[in-house]
Amino acid sequence: MTDRISPEHRSWNMSRIRNRDTKPELIVRSLLHRMGYRFRLHRKDLPGKPDIVLPKYRTVIFVHGCFWHRHHNCRYASTPQSHTAFWNAKFATTIERDREVRRQLRKLAWHVIVVWECEITAEHSLQKKISTFLRHY
């Protein structure tokens, strides 16, 4: 199957996808703030520049988009029907990079939470997930 839009327009679309201050990330940050947690953003000295860093708890939070980071069994993690070989390679690289970043952070004694884009709509569940995790540290 061929792409329905021109390569130039596809490039323009892709250039508009942000990697920080996304809506899901802002929602998680707002929730954390309301829960009383204080945090730092995108620390460059940590592997993967985590979206949210809670230094007091030595915990980092990654807010992952289900499509880009391939949330398993999620309806948002669909694969485009055109250029599937390209997309599958891109997704495999992303998954491996995420795995390596988590490994490096654990090696540095940091705890890692991954919040998926689809989890953001259930605020109570997300709040419970975060507070349960942080209660151990």
Side-chain angles (χ1 to χ4, degrees), residues 11-121:
S11 179
W12 180 84
N13 283 350
M14 297 303 283
S15 74
R16 298 301 179 268
I17 297 171
R18 297 180 298 180
N19 65 351
R20 57 175 23 180
D21 299 332
T22 62
K23 188 173 182 179
E25 188 180 321
L26 293 174
I27 290 170
V28 173
R29 286 164 28 186
S30 174
L31 175 65
L32 284 168
H33 196 267
R34 282 182 278 134
M35 291 170 70
Y37 294 108
R38 298 300 173 255
F39 48 85
R40 298 285 173 249
L41 303 175
H42 310 288
R43 277 193 33 191
K44 293 179 176 84
D45 62 327
L46 291 175
K49 290 188 254 178
D51 299 317
I52 301 167
V53 180
L54 296 120
K56 179 179 178 180
Y57 301 92
R58 274 194 82 72
T59 299
V60 300
I61 300 175
F62 288 100
V63 183
H64 282 341
C66 297
F67 175 78
W68 294 107
H69 296 269
R70 311 312 290 164
H71 188 195
H72 187 67
N73 289 331
C74 178
R75 66 186 177 117
Y76 300 117
S78 62
T79 302
Q81 292 182 356
S82 61
H83 306 291
T84 53
F86 164 80
W87 284 108
N88 287 332
K90 185 173 187 65
F91 294 144
T93 302
T94 301
I95 290 168
E96 185 52 41
R97 183 180 61 241
D98 290 345
R99 189 177 294 128
E100 178 60 22
V101 164
R102 288 191 308 268
R103 189 190 67 72
Q104 289 174 4
L105 285 164
R106 286 190 199 106
K107 192 173 181 182
L108 294 170
W110 283 87
H111 310 286
V112 180
I113 302 174
V114 174
V115 174
W116 292 98
E117 175 184 20
C118 64
E119 293 177 321
I120 304 234
T121 55

